[in-house]
Amino acid sequence: MSTATVANLPRISGEKLANLIRTKTPGISIIDVRDSDYVGGHILGCQNVPTHTHDHRMPELVRTLRNQDTIVFHCALSQQRGPSSALRYLRERERMSARGELGIREDVEDIEKAQKVVVLEGGFAKWQEAYGSDTELTEGYVKDLWDESW
């Protein structure tokens, strides 16, 4: 069983993620778990998987992303929803793998080496401060919605 906890999940800086996006590094998926606060901008190419959909969407997400090298989760601040969603993803991936639902049977260490799951430091609030107006990195950005709101 995985030893991952919300407290020990690895983090990725906005700067490092921006560089990966700019260089079009393959094998990276960004999962934005914000609900209604998704309005006003998002990281280019991310998938919006709101937390209220996780009960039925998490197995689908694990199957869809099983061949990706790195999965980046985030919410507005990456303090609760983002890390909790990343942990939920890890546990679902482990459960599905143990049951052979991913077409592979690996032990936990092999799974963890094959796919890195990280949380974006500071979430979208911090991201938009640095990259909100950068159309190479952010889509649908509405600056007025973020001014003094976080």
Side-chain angles (χ1 to χ4, degrees):
M1 181 168 205
S2 175
T3 58
T5 66
V6 168
N8 70 13
L9 284 168
R11 304 286 172 149
I12 186 170
S13 70
E15 183 179 354
K16 184 171 183 179
L17 181 57
N19 185 49
L20 293 172
I21 294 169
R22 281 194 173 106
T23 59
K24 296 180 180 12
T25 302
I28 297 172
S29 289
I30 303 164
I31 309 300
D32 185 330
V33 301
R34 292 179 293 156
D35 300 291
S36 62
D37 52 334
Y38 181 76
V39 173
H42 53 273
I43 298 172
L44 183 72
C46 77
Q47 286 181 272
N48 182 225
V49 184
T51 54
H52 72 273
T53 67
H54 287 182
D55 285 344
H56 67 277
R57 290 202 54 200
M58 198 56 72
E60 168 198 347
L61 193 62
V62 171
R63 278 190 292 278
T64 302
L65 300 177
R66 72 175 173 234
N67 294 321
Q68 295 294 298
D69 298 324
T70 304
I71 313 299
V72 179
F73 282 86
H74 79 87
C75 58
L77 300 173
S78 288
Q79 292 178 349
Q80 293 181 6
R81 293 175 294 175
S84 296
S85 298
L87 188 58
R88 188 170 186 171
Y89 176 89
L90 286 168
R91 290 179 176 161
E92 183 65 17
R93 183 184 70 184
E94 182 180 317
R95 183 196 69 77
M96 291 174 71
S97 180
R99 295 178 71 176
E101 295 178 31
L102 296 177
I104 54 172
R105 277 197 174 267
E106 299 175 329
D107 63 30
V108 174
E109 287 95 31
D110 289 341
I111 295 167
E112 290 174 353
K113 287 177 192 170
Q115 185 180 76
K116 188 174 182 181
V117 176
V118 299
V119 176
L120 176 62
E121 290 176 357
F124 190 77
K126 190 81 168 167
W127 177 271
Q128 64 84 27
E129 287 176 7
Y131 308 108
S133 298
D134 187 336
T135 57
E136 292 182 358
L137 298 172
T138 307
E139 293 180 300
Y141 184 62
V142 181
K143 186 178 184 332
D144 293 344
L145 291 176
W146 291 95
D147 284 344
E148 299 179 36
S149 64
W150 296 95

